[in-house]
Amino acid sequence: MLDTVIVFVYILLALALILSFVRLAKGPSLPDRVVALELVASIVMGMIAVYTVDTGVDKFIDVAVVMALMAFLAAIGFARYLEKGGERDD
């Protein structure tokens, strides 16, 4: 039963990742693309968490935490860039 649920979650996360990449490519403005990039990072962290449950290797949780910190720092960097008068399509 757990294997079926894990495969279903992988499929849903892959679909969400594809849709996020579409939003990242089409996004009408730079802030929309930043939000889509954050969403991609969150989905990848979810995939790592599901993979951790699937394999039972606890070390991958550390990888997910590091990715979360990196995504947070990237969001801060983009926000500062926009705040300082970076290119905007609004």
Side-chain angles (χ1 to χ4, degrees):
M1 179 69 181
L2 184 62
D3 292 335
T4 306
V5 171
I6 287 175
V7 168
F8 183 68
V9 170
Y10 275 136
I11 291 169
L12 286 179
L13 285 173
L15 180 64
L17 191 62
I18 290 168
L19 293 174
S20 299
F21 276 126
V22 168
R23 174 50 57 196
L24 185 63
K26 286 180 64 173
S29 66
L30 185 61
D32 290 329
R33 289 186 172 112
V34 171
V35 170
L37 191 61
E38 287 293 316
L39 182 60
V40 166
S42 298
I43 292 169
V44 168
M45 285 181 277
M47 285 184 157
I48 291 172
V50 172
Y51 184 75
T52 301
V53 170
D54 191 19
T55 60
V57 179
D58 295 336
K59 298 294 181 185
F60 289 115
I61 293 295
D62 297 336
V63 173
V65 169
V66 169
M67 279 197 61
L69 290 173
M70 288 175 53
F72 174 71
L73 290 175
I76 296 296
F78 279 124
R80 295 204 87 192
Y81 173 72
L82 292 175
E83 184 180 72
K84 298 285 183 190
E87 305 268 338
R88 292 187 73 165
D89 297 335
D90 298 352

